[in-house]
């Protein structure tokens, strides 16, 4: 069976080109071939088609094999490149190989042509397979396999770069973090296979709800994120409403309509943080408040954060306050309104902090 081969011949001699073509066809190659002999025609051929092999003569009146090789390298093409010459010397051959040619042959002796071509095509295939494998590994490192969306690692990179750009241009950045409500029930009732299909469709709807410049990511499980590089600081609210509306219609999975709702937490740069980690953490805080309150979406504010630096500091200082007797117990009488008599008392705990003054019990109990 003939072997298909797309060959670009850089050759000014028609006779020499015909000899190469004849040799290849004699050994079972089914050729699609084009002959060029100038920089312009070579560039046009490289732009127009994808070639499996390039064979070039070393020297021509208006062009050269090394110049053709330079064009191939400039375009970043990984194509086997073999030089032919009737007069090439050892120094020129070494120069050609150092420049990136895969092999060189003498025109008067083509016995090495077919073995050289077979070897270079095999090695090119191996290089291509390795490149594809590496590209797939790189893709897996930065993308969610199920939905094809960016994963947490890629979102953090995009977010940090977007914050850097926004800082320079004095713009706002919004991060929307969302969690699907009661998604565990879908998996438990209908199975993980159908749950995965829901997640795939959620990803598609979210992408349709935002601009091309916005980033939709899946962070894991039923958690998604939308990154908005904003110029209009009110845009985050529009996107939050659009996102909720986009998920309103039931998802039909194998004939089963499935309702999905979401809770969204929103954090803004620079108002709520100046790093990717800070915005993700604060959007996460707002998201859980939205889930608890069943309010759709919530914009972060410090009072929502049970893990703020001040709160963590108070937790440490509270132990000292107990040991040093800085807590005070006050009694509030309970009065019978009919008789005016005191019928009992309530014990109320107060903390008089040295730096922050009076701290109400709902902040430290």
């Amino acid at each position: 069976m003939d072997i298909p081969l797309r060959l670009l011949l850089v050759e000014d001699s028609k006779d020499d080109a015909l000899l190469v073509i004849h040799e290849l066809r004699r050994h079972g190659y089914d050729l699609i071939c084009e002959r060029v002999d100038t920089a312009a025609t070579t560039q046009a051929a490289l732009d127009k088609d994808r070639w499996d092999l390039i064979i070039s003569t070393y020297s021509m009146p208006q062009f050269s094999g090394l110049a053709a090789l330079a064009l191939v390298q400039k375009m970043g093409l990984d194509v086997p490149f073999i030089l032919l010459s009737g007069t090439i010397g050892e120094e020129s051959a070494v120069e050609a190989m150092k420049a990136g040619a895969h092999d060189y042959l003498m025109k008067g002796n083509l016995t090495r042509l077919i073995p050289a071509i077979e070897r270079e095509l095999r090695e090119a295939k191996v290089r291509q397979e390795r490149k594809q494998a590496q590209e797939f590994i790189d893709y897996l490192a930065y993308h969610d396999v199920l939905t094809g969306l960016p994963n947490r690692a890629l979102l953090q990179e995009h977010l940090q770069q977007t914050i850097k750009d926004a800082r320079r241009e004095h713009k706002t950045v919004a991060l929307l973090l969302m969690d699907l409500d009661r998604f565990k029930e879908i998996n438990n009732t209908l199975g993980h296979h159908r749950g995965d299909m829901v997640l795939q469709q959620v990803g598609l709807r979210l992408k349709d709800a935002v601009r091309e410049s916005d980033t939709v990511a899946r962070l894991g499980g039923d958690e998604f994120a939308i990154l908005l590089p904003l110029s209009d600081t009110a845009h985050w609210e529009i996107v939050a409403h659009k996102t909720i509306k986009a998920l309103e219609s039931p998802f039909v999975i194998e004939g089963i309509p499935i309702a999905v709702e979401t809770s969204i937490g929103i954090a803004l740069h620079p108002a709520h943080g100046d790093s990717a980690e800070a915005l993700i953490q604060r959007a996460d805080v707002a998201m859980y408040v939205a889930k608890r309150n069943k309010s759709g979406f919530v914009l972060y504010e410090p009072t929502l954060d049970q893990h703020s630096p001040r709160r963590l500091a108070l937790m440490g200082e509270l132990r000292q306050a107990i040991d040093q007797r800085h807590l005070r117990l006050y009694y509030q009488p309970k009065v019978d309104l009919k008789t005016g008599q005191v019928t009992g008392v309530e014990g109320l705990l107060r903390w008089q902090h040295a730096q922050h003054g009076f701290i109400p019990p709902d902040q430290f109990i």
Side-chain angles (χ1 to χ4, degrees):
M1 185 173 65
D2 289 343
I3 305 167
L5 182 68
R6 302 181 65 85
L7 171 66
L8 180 62
L9 264 174
V10 185
E11 177 62 77
D12 60 335
S13 169
K14 291 182 180 181
D15 291 340
D16 288 344
L18 288 173
L19 285 174
V20 171
I21 293 170
H22 173 75
E23 189 71 11
L24 285 165
R25 285 179 173 159
R26 191 167 68 87
H27 285 83
Y29 285 96
D30 181 16
L31 295 180
I32 294 176
C33 181
E34 182 173 345
R35 184 176 68 88
V36 294
D37 58 5
T38 66
T41 55
T42 301
Q43 185 66 65
L46 293 172
D47 292 336
K48 181 178 63 175
D49 284 315
R50 183 187 63 81
W51 303 99
D52 301 318
L53 174 68
I54 300 174
I55 298 177
S56 174
T57 190
Y58 183 77
S59 178
M60 292 172 283
Q62 300 180 24
F63 198 37
S64 73
L66 292 182
L69 177 60
L71 290 178
V72 173
Q73 293 172 332
K74 185 177 180 181
M75 295 179 67
L77 302 176
D78 184 10
V79 184
F81 193 101
I82 296 176
L83 282 168
L84 291 178
S85 176
T87 58
I88 190 170
E90 185 176 344
E91 290 185 4
S92 298
V94 171
E95 178 190 3
M97 298 298 285
K98 285 183 177 179
H102 293 92
D103 206 343
Y104 67 91
L105 305 170
M106 301 301 293
K107 284 186 176 181
N109 181 10
L110 295 182
T111 55
R112 285 188 57 234
L113 178 63
I114 300 304
I117 289 173
E118 291 174 346
R119 182 190 66 247
E120 295 306 328
L121 290 176
R122 281 196 307 270
E123 292 185 2
K125 183 179 180 181
V126 170
R127 290 196 302 272
Q128 183 63 27
E129 289 172 349
R130 286 176 179 169
K131 181 181 177 183
Q132 290 174 348
Q134 187 60 52
E135 288 174 350
F136 185 63
I137 291 170
D138 294 342
Y139 178 85
L140 292 179
Y142 288 103
H143 290 82
D144 172 54
V145 177
L146 180 64
T147 63
L149 296 173
N151 62 12
R152 182 181 292 271
L154 187 54
L155 174 72
Q156 287 181 311
E157 286 192 9
H158 283 182
L159 181 53
Q160 198 60 52
Q161 184 59 49
T162 303
I163 289 172
K164 183 178 178 181
D165 296 340
R167 193 184 301 128
R168 184 174 60 250
E169 299 173 15
H170 305 289
K171 291 183 177 180
T172 301
V173 176
L175 178 67
L176 283 66
L177 206 62
M178 65 192 68
D179 186 87
L180 304 184
D181 298 336
R182 301 179 301 280
F183 184 75
K184 186 178 180 181
E185 295 176 14
I186 296 174
N187 279 335
N188 291 343
T189 305
L190 301 176
H192 288 271
H193 170 65
R194 292 190 178 100
D196 287 347
M197 295 173 70
V198 171
L199 293 173
Q200 289 172 332
Q201 291 197 23
V202 167
L204 292 174
R205 288 197 192 181
L206 293 179
K207 287 190 70 175
D208 288 341
V210 300
R211 304 169 299 187
E212 192 173 337
S213 59
D214 302 330
T215 299
V216 177
R218 182 186 176 217
L219 306 188
D222 59 344
E223 195 173 28
F224 292 82
I226 299 176
L227 169 60
L228 307 174
L230 298 174
S231 53
D232 178 3
T233 54
H235 183 59
W236 64 263
E237 189 170 1
I238 297 171
V239 173
H241 283 294
K242 285 180 66 178
T243 299
I244 293 172
K245 188 170 182 60
L247 302 181
E248 281 182 353
S249 300
F251 294 85
V252 180
I253 305 297
E254 297 180 348
I256 304 171
I258 300 172
V260 172
E261 296 179 350
T262 187
S263 299
I264 304 173
I266 302 151
L268 307 177
H269 161 83
H272 303 141
D274 201 37
S275 70
E277 293 78 9
L279 285 191
I280 290 173
Q281 185 267 331
R282 284 157 191 175
D284 194 58
V285 168
M287 181 187 71
Y288 279 101
V289 173
K291 184 178 285 289
R292 184 179 66 235
N293 298 344
K294 302 185 184 303
S295 55
F297 65 87
V298 166
L299 179 66
Y300 173 84
E301 55 183 75
T303 57
L304 304 175
D305 198 344
Q306 296 185 5
H307 302 286
S308 65
R310 181 174 185 269
R311 188 179 182 90
L312 292 175
L314 288 178
M315 288 173 63
E317 293 171 353
L318 179 58
R319 187 178 299 276
Q320 294 180 359
I322 294 171
D323 293 340
Q324 297 172 10
R325 299 182 178 277
H326 290 168
L327 302 184
R328 298 286 183 266
L329 185 62
Y330 294 88
Y331 294 100
Q332 178 172 289
K334 299 174 71 173
V335 178
D336 187 323
L337 294 179
K338 289 183 180 180
T339 64
Q341 298 296 313
V342 175
T343 59
V345 293
E346 290 179 339
L348 304 174
L349 196 62
R350 299 289 186 263
W351 179 5
Q352 190 66 35
H353 193 282
Q355 283 79 39
H356 302 299
F358 172 75
I359 299 177
D362 63 336
Q363 291 189 21
F364 68 84
I365 292 179

Short mmCIF file of all heavy atoms in Angstrom, two decimals, residues 8-47:
data_model
loop_
_atom_site.label_atom_id
_atom_site.label_comp_id
_atom_site.label_asym_id
_atom_site.label_seq_id
_atom_site.Cartn_x
_atom_site.Cartn_y
_atom_site.Cartn_z
N LEU A 8 7.63 19.08 0.31
CA LEU A 8 8.00 20.38 -0.23
C LEU A 8 9.44 20.29 -0.71
O LEU A 8 10.35 20.02 0.08
CB LEU A 8 7.86 21.48 0.83
CG LEU A 8 8.22 22.91 0.36
CD1 LEU A 8 7.29 23.37 -0.77
CD2 LEU A 8 8.18 23.89 1.52
N LEU A 9 9.64 20.51 -2.00
CA LEU A 9 10.97 20.46 -2.60
C LEU A 9 11.47 21.87 -2.87
O LEU A 9 10.85 22.62 -3.63
CB LEU A 9 10.92 19.69 -3.92
CG LEU A 9 11.27 18.20 -3.89
CD1 LEU A 9 11.01 17.57 -5.25
CD2 LEU A 9 12.73 18.00 -3.49
N VAL A 10 12.56 22.24 -2.21
CA VAL A 10 13.19 23.55 -2.46
C VAL A 10 14.33 23.28 -3.43
O VAL A 10 15.44 22.90 -3.04
CB VAL A 10 13.68 24.18 -1.15
CG1 VAL A 10 14.21 25.59 -1.42
CG2 VAL A 10 12.59 24.20 -0.10
N GLU A 11 14.06 23.47 -4.71
CA GLU A 11 14.99 23.03 -5.75
C GLU A 11 14.78 23.86 -7.01
O GLU A 11 13.66 24.02 -7.49
CB GLU A 11 14.76 21.55 -6.04
CG GLU A 11 15.58 20.96 -7.14
CD GLU A 11 17.08 21.00 -6.87
OE1 GLU A 11 17.56 20.18 -6.06
OE2 GLU A 11 17.75 21.89 -7.46
N ASP A 12 15.89 24.41 -7.57
CA ASP A 12 15.77 25.19 -8.80
C ASP A 12 15.93 24.33 -10.05
O ASP A 12 15.61 24.75 -11.15
CB ASP A 12 16.79 26.33 -8.81
CG ASP A 12 18.23 25.82 -8.74
OD1 ASP A 12 18.44 24.70 -8.21
OD2 ASP A 12 19.14 26.53 -9.19
N SER A 13 16.40 23.10 -9.88
CA SER A 13 16.60 22.20 -11.01
C SER A 13 15.42 21.22 -11.12
O SER A 13 15.20 20.40 -10.23
CB SER A 13 17.91 21.42 -10.85
OG SER A 13 17.97 20.37 -11.81
N LYS A 14 14.68 21.31 -12.23
CA LYS A 14 13.56 20.39 -12.43
C LYS A 14 14.04 18.95 -12.54
O LYS A 14 13.39 18.03 -12.02
CB LYS A 14 12.81 20.77 -13.71
CG LYS A 14 12.04 22.08 -13.60
CD LYS A 14 11.27 22.36 -14.90
CE LYS A 14 10.51 23.66 -14.81
NZ LYS A 14 9.74 23.95 -16.06
N ASP A 15 15.17 18.75 -13.18
CA ASP A 15 15.69 17.39 -13.34
C ASP A 15 16.04 16.76 -11.99
O ASP A 15 15.70 15.59 -11.73
CB ASP A 15 16.92 17.40 -14.25
CG ASP A 15 16.58 17.73 -15.70
OD1 ASP A 15 15.38 17.58 -16.07
OD2 ASP A 15 17.48 18.17 -16.43
N ASP A 16 16.72 17.54 -11.15
CA ASP A 16 17.06 17.01 -9.82
C ASP A 16 15.80 16.74 -9.00
O ASP A 16 15.73 15.75 -8.25
CB ASP A 16 17.96 18.00 -9.07
CG ASP A 16 19.38 18.04 -9.65
OD1 ASP A 16 19.73 17.12 -10.40
OD2 ASP A 16 20.10 19.00 -9.34
N ALA A 17 14.81 17.60 -9.14
CA ALA A 17 13.54 17.39 -8.43
C ALA A 17 12.87 16.10 -8.89
O ALA A 17 12.37 15.31 -8.07
CB ALA A 17 12.63 18.58 -8.63
N LEU A 18 12.89 15.85 -10.21
CA LEU A 18 12.26 14.65 -10.76
C LEU A 18 12.97 13.39 -10.27
O LEU A 18 12.33 12.36 -10.03
CB LEU A 18 12.25 14.70 -12.29
CG LEU A 18 11.26 15.71 -12.90
CD1 LEU A 18 11.47 15.81 -14.41
CD2 LEU A 18 9.82 15.31 -12.58
N LEU A 19 14.28 13.44 -10.12
CA LEU A 19 15.02 12.29 -9.61
C LEU A 19 14.58 11.93 -8.18
O LEU A 19 14.40 10.76 -7.85
CB LEU A 19 16.52 12.57 -9.64
CG LEU A 19 17.21 12.53 -11.00
CD1 LEU A 19 18.66 12.99 -10.88
CD2 LEU A 19 17.16 11.11 -11.59
N VAL A 20 14.42 12.95 -7.35
CA VAL A 20 13.99 12.73 -5.97
C VAL A 20 12.57 12.16 -5.95
O VAL A 20 12.27 11.19 -5.23
CB VAL A 20 14.05 14.04 -5.15
CG1 VAL A 20 13.38 13.86 -3.79
CG2 VAL A 20 15.50 14.50 -4.98
N ILE A 21 11.67 12.76 -6.75
CA ILE A 21 10.28 12.30 -6.82
C ILE A 21 10.22 10.85 -7.30
O ILE A 21 9.50 10.01 -6.74
CB ILE A 21 9.46 13.22 -7.73
CG1 ILE A 21 9.32 14.61 -7.07
CG2 ILE A 21 8.09 12.62 -8.02
CD1 ILE A 21 8.74 15.67 -7.99
N HIS A 22 11.00 10.53 -8.31
CA HIS A 22 11.02 9.17 -8.84
C HIS A 22 11.48 8.17 -7.79
O HIS A 22 10.91 7.07 -7.64
CB HIS A 22 11.94 9.10 -10.07
CG HIS A 22 12.14 7.71 -10.58
ND1 HIS A 22 11.17 7.02 -11.29
CD2 HIS A 22 13.21 6.85 -10.46
CE1 HIS A 22 11.63 5.82 -11.59
NE2 HIS A 22 12.87 5.69 -11.10
N GLU A 23 12.52 8.54 -7.05
CA GLU A 23 13.06 7.64 -6.03
C GLU A 23 12.02 7.36 -4.93
O GLU A 23 11.87 6.23 -4.47
CB GLU A 23 14.33 8.26 -5.42
CG GLU A 23 15.11 7.33 -4.51
CD GLU A 23 15.81 6.21 -5.27
OE1 GLU A 23 15.86 6.26 -6.52
OE2 GLU A 23 16.29 5.27 -4.60
N LEU A 24 11.31 8.39 -4.54
CA LEU A 24 10.30 8.22 -3.50
C LEU A 24 9.13 7.37 -3.98
O LEU A 24 8.65 6.47 -3.27
CB LEU A 24 9.78 9.59 -3.03
CG LEU A 24 10.74 10.37 -2.12
CD1 LEU A 24 10.33 11.83 -2.01
CD2 LEU A 24 10.78 9.74 -0.75
N ARG A 25 8.67 7.62 -5.18
CA ARG A 25 7.54 6.84 -5.73
C ARG A 25 7.95 5.39 -5.94
O ARG A 25 7.13 4.48 -5.75
CB ARG A 25 7.05 7.48 -7.02
CG ARG A 25 6.23 8.76 -6.75
CD ARG A 25 5.76 9.43 -8.02
NE ARG A 25 4.86 10.54 -7.70
CZ ARG A 25 4.59 11.54 -8.53
NH1 ARG A 25 5.15 11.59 -9.73
NH2 ARG A 25 3.76 12.49 -8.16
N ARG A 26 9.20 5.18 -6.31
CA ARG A 26 9.69 3.82 -6.53
C ARG A 26 9.66 3.00 -5.24
O ARG A 26 9.54 1.77 -5.27
CB ARG A 26 11.11 3.87 -7.09
CG ARG A 26 11.63 2.53 -7.61
CD ARG A 26 12.90 2.75 -8.42
NE ARG A 26 14.00 3.18 -7.58
CZ ARG A 26 14.83 2.34 -6.94
NH1 ARG A 26 14.64 1.03 -7.04
NH2 ARG A 26 15.83 2.80 -6.22
N HIS A 27 9.75 3.70 -4.11
CA HIS A 27 9.74 3.02 -2.81
C HIS A 27 8.38 3.11 -2.13
O HIS A 27 8.26 2.94 -0.91
CB HIS A 27 10.83 3.60 -1.90
CG HIS A 27 12.20 3.14 -2.27
ND1 HIS A 27 12.94 3.74 -3.28
CD2 HIS A 27 12.97 2.10 -1.80
CE1 HIS A 27 14.12 3.12 -3.39
NE2 HIS A 27 14.14 2.12 -2.51
N GLY A 28 7.34 3.38 -2.87
CA GLY A 28 5.98 3.25 -2.36
C GLY A 28 5.39 4.48 -1.71
O GLY A 28 4.40 4.36 -0.97
N TYR A 29 5.92 5.65 -1.99
CA TYR A 29 5.35 6.87 -1.42
C TYR A 29 4.36 7.49 -2.40
O TYR A 29 4.65 7.66 -3.59
CB TYR A 29 6.44 7.88 -1.08
CG TYR A 29 7.21 7.51 0.17
CD1 TYR A 29 8.42 6.83 0.08
CD2 TYR A 29 6.72 7.83 1.43
CE1 TYR A 29 9.13 6.47 1.22
CE2 TYR A 29 7.43 7.48 2.57
CZ TYR A 29 8.62 6.80 2.47
OH TYR A 29 9.31 6.44 3.60
N ASP A 30 3.17 7.82 -1.91
CA ASP A 30 2.14 8.50 -2.69
C ASP A 30 2.28 9.99 -2.40
O ASP A 30 1.88 10.47 -1.33
CB ASP A 30 0.76 7.98 -2.28
CG ASP A 30 -0.36 8.64 -3.06
OD1 ASP A 30 -0.07 9.27 -4.10
OD2 ASP A 30 -1.52 8.55 -2.63
N LEU A 31 2.85 10.72 -3.34
CA LEU A 31 3.28 12.09 -3.08
C LEU A 31 2.24 13.14 -3.43
O LEU A 31 1.57 13.07 -4.45
CB LEU A 31 4.55 12.40 -3.88
CG LEU A 31 5.82 11.63 -3.53
CD1 LEU A 31 6.97 12.08 -4.42
CD2 LEU A 31 6.18 11.84 -2.07
N ILE A 32 2.15 14.12 -2.55
CA ILE A 32 1.61 15.43 -2.89
C ILE A 32 2.82 16.35 -2.78
O ILE A 32 3.38 16.54 -1.70
CB ILE A 32 0.50 15.86 -1.93
CG1 ILE A 32 -0.71 14.94 -2.08
CG2 ILE A 32 0.10 17.31 -2.19
CD1 ILE A 32 -1.83 15.23 -1.11
N CYS A 33 3.23 16.91 -3.91
CA CYS A 33 4.54 17.58 -3.96
C CYS A 33 4.41 18.96 -4.57
O CYS A 33 3.63 19.19 -5.50
CB CYS A 33 5.51 16.73 -4.77
SG CYS A 33 7.17 17.43 -4.87
N GLU A 34 5.19 19.90 -4.02
CA GLU A 34 5.30 21.24 -4.61
C GLU A 34 6.77 21.62 -4.65
O GLU A 34 7.50 21.38 -3.68
CB GLU A 34 4.50 22.26 -3.79
CG GLU A 34 4.55 23.67 -4.38
CD GLU A 34 3.63 24.65 -3.67
OE1 GLU A 34 2.75 24.19 -2.90
OE2 GLU A 34 3.80 25.87 -3.87
N ARG A 35 7.19 22.22 -5.78
CA ARG A 35 8.58 22.65 -5.93
C ARG A 35 8.63 24.18 -5.87
O ARG A 35 7.85 24.87 -6.52
CB ARG A 35 9.15 22.17 -7.26
CG ARG A 35 10.65 22.50 -7.43
CD ARG A 35 11.19 21.92 -8.72
NE ARG A 35 10.64 22.57 -9.89
CZ ARG A 35 11.15 23.68 -10.45
NH1 ARG A 35 12.24 24.24 -9.95
NH2 ARG A 35 10.59 24.21 -11.52
N VAL A 36 9.55 24.71 -5.06
CA VAL A 36 9.77 26.15 -4.92
C VAL A 36 11.26 26.43 -5.06
O VAL A 36 12.09 25.55 -4.82
CB VAL A 36 9.24 26.67 -3.57
CG1 VAL A 36 7.71 26.54 -3.48
CG2 VAL A 36 9.88 25.93 -2.40
N ASP A 37 11.59 27.68 -5.40
CA ASP A 37 13.02 27.98 -5.56
C ASP A 37 13.39 29.41 -5.17
O ASP A 37 14.49 29.88 -5.47
CB ASP A 37 13.47 27.70 -6.99
CG ASP A 37 12.70 28.50 -8.03
OD1 ASP A 37 11.86 29.35 -7.64
OD2 ASP A 37 12.92 28.28 -9.24
N THR A 38 12.47 30.12 -4.49
CA THR A 38 12.78 31.47 -3.99
C THR A 38 12.24 31.61 -2.57
O THR A 38 11.43 30.80 -2.11
CB THR A 38 12.13 32.56 -4.87
OG1 THR A 38 10.70 32.48 -4.74
CG2 THR A 38 12.54 32.43 -6.33
N ALA A 39 12.67 32.66 -1.90
CA ALA A 39 12.18 32.90 -0.53
C ALA A 39 10.68 33.13 -0.53
O ALA A 39 9.96 32.63 0.34
CB ALA A 39 12.91 34.09 0.07
N ALA A 40 10.19 33.89 -1.54
CA ALA A 40 8.76 34.23 -1.58
C ALA A 40 7.90 32.99 -1.81
O ALA A 40 6.90 32.78 -1.13
CB ALA A 40 8.51 35.26 -2.67
N THR A 41 8.29 32.13 -2.77
CA THR A 41 7.49 30.94 -3.05
C THR A 41 7.59 29.91 -1.92
O THR A 41 6.63 29.21 -1.62
CB THR A 41 7.92 30.29 -4.38
OG1 THR A 41 9.33 30.01 -4.34
CG2 THR A 41 7.61 31.21 -5.55
N THR A 42 8.75 29.86 -1.25
CA THR A 42 8.90 28.96 -0.11
C THR A 42 8.00 29.41 1.04
O THR A 42 7.30 28.60 1.66
CB THR A 42 10.36 28.91 0.36
OG1 THR A 42 11.19 28.48 -0.72
CG2 THR A 42 10.52 27.97 1.54
N GLN A 43 8.02 30.70 1.33
CA GLN A 43 7.17 31.23 2.39
C GLN A 43 5.69 31.00 2.09
O GLN A 43 4.91 30.62 2.97
CB GLN A 43 7.44 32.72 2.58
CG GLN A 43 6.69 33.33 3.76
CD GLN A 43 7.15 32.77 5.08
OE1 GLN A 43 8.28 32.96 5.49
NE2 GLN A 43 6.26 32.07 5.79
N ALA A 44 5.31 31.21 0.82
CA ALA A 44 3.92 31.00 0.43
C ALA A 44 3.51 29.54 0.62
O ALA A 44 2.40 29.25 1.09
CB ALA A 44 3.71 31.43 -1.02
N ALA A 45 4.39 28.63 0.27
CA ALA A 45 4.09 27.20 0.42
C ALA A 45 3.98 26.81 1.89
O ALA A 45 3.12 26.01 2.28
CB ALA A 45 5.17 26.37 -0.26
N LEU A 46 4.84 27.37 2.74
CA LEU A 46 4.79 27.08 4.17
C LEU A 46 3.51 27.64 4.80
O LEU A 46 2.93 27.02 5.70
CB LEU A 46 6.01 27.66 4.87
CG LEU A 46 7.36 27.03 4.53
CD1 LEU A 46 8.50 27.82 5.15
CD2 LEU A 46 7.42 25.57 4.98
N ASP A 47 3.07 28.80 4.32
CA ASP A 47 1.85 29.40 4.84
C ASP A 47 0.61 28.63 4.40
O ASP A 47 -0.37 28.54 5.14
CB ASP A 47 1.73 30.86 4.37
CG ASP A 47 2.77 31.77 5.00
OD1 ASP A 47 3.27 31.43 6.09
OD2 ASP A 47 3.09 32.81 4.40
#
